[in-house]
Amino acid sequence: MRFEKLGIAVLSDDTAASSRFYTEHFGFTQIVDLGWYVSLHHPEHPAYILDFVQRGHESMPQSFRTQDTAGLCLAFLVTDAAAEEAALRAKGVRITEPLRDEPWGQRRFNVESPEGILIEVLQTIEPDPDRVAANES
């Protein structure tokens, strides 16, 4: 399959709050706002679209439209996770998992969006050499 863009649509109880969260803290731009539907794009990644649909709206299949948002994690790879965590803290965003270095080569932290999405902000760092040696095949 060949496609031009990749989008994710997430059910939200408050599409305006979801839009504000991603535009204020992650640099997205709101392209469409119909009240019950909001579409966000990121200026650095035009092929990726993040949409929010009012939970319960008839545009979604009936069996899906009232489901909770669960089991979804968005990951944003950055050049300086520590600086991003400090900036989000300064804006009052609740950090759900603080900055930590992982032995497999990631520095990361987590926040949670208004609709319950886990957001992982991470950067690539050098992995622990002992871990690499222990996991070579």
Side-chain angles (χ1 to χ4, degrees), residues 102-118:
E102 303 291 7
W104 52 82
Q106 290 180 339
R107 176 169 293 138
R108 64 186 181 151
F109 68 94
N110 299 107
V111 301
E112 189 175 303
S113 69
E115 61 288 328
I117 294 174
L118 175 68

Side-chain angles (χ1 to χ4, degrees), residues 11-135:
L11 296 177
S12 174
D13 291 321
D14 186 343
T15 60
S18 295
S19 179
R20 275 192 309 277
F21 182 79
Y22 288 92
T23 57
E24 290 176 9
H25 303 305
F26 293 97
F28 282 82
T29 301
Q30 183 176 281
I31 302 300
V32 176
D33 182 359
L34 302 178
W36 61 270
Y37 169 81
V38 174
S39 184
L40 305 179
H41 298 197
H42 197 282
E44 295 175 16
H45 307 283
Y48 300 100
I49 302 165
L50 183 57
D51 294 338
F52 297 96
V53 179
Q54 184 69 45
R55 189 179 323 281
H57 194 271
E58 65 189 66
S59 64
M60 289 291 165
Q62 188 168 7
S63 62
F64 178 80
R65 65 179 71 148
T66 59
Q67 290 186 13
D68 288 334
T69 302
L72 181 61
C73 174
L74 291 180
F76 297 122
L77 183 63
V78 299
T79 57
D80 187 346
E84 298 297 343
E85 184 194 39
L88 289 172
R89 278 188 192 279
K91 291 179 178 180
V93 175
R94 187 173 73 86
I95 307 299
T96 57
E97 291 286 332
L99 188 69
R100 62 205 176 278
D101 288 353
E102 303 291 7
W104 52 82
Q106 290 180 339
R107 176 169 293 138
R108 64 186 181 151
F109 68 94
N110 299 107
V111 301
E112 189 175 303
S113 69
E115 61 288 328
I117 294 174
L118 175 68
I119 299 174
E120 178 179 70
V121 179
L122 67 142
Q123 81 180 71
T124 303
I125 60 173
E126 288 296 317
D128 179 297
D130 294 332
R131 173 148 177 124
V132 171
N135 288 290

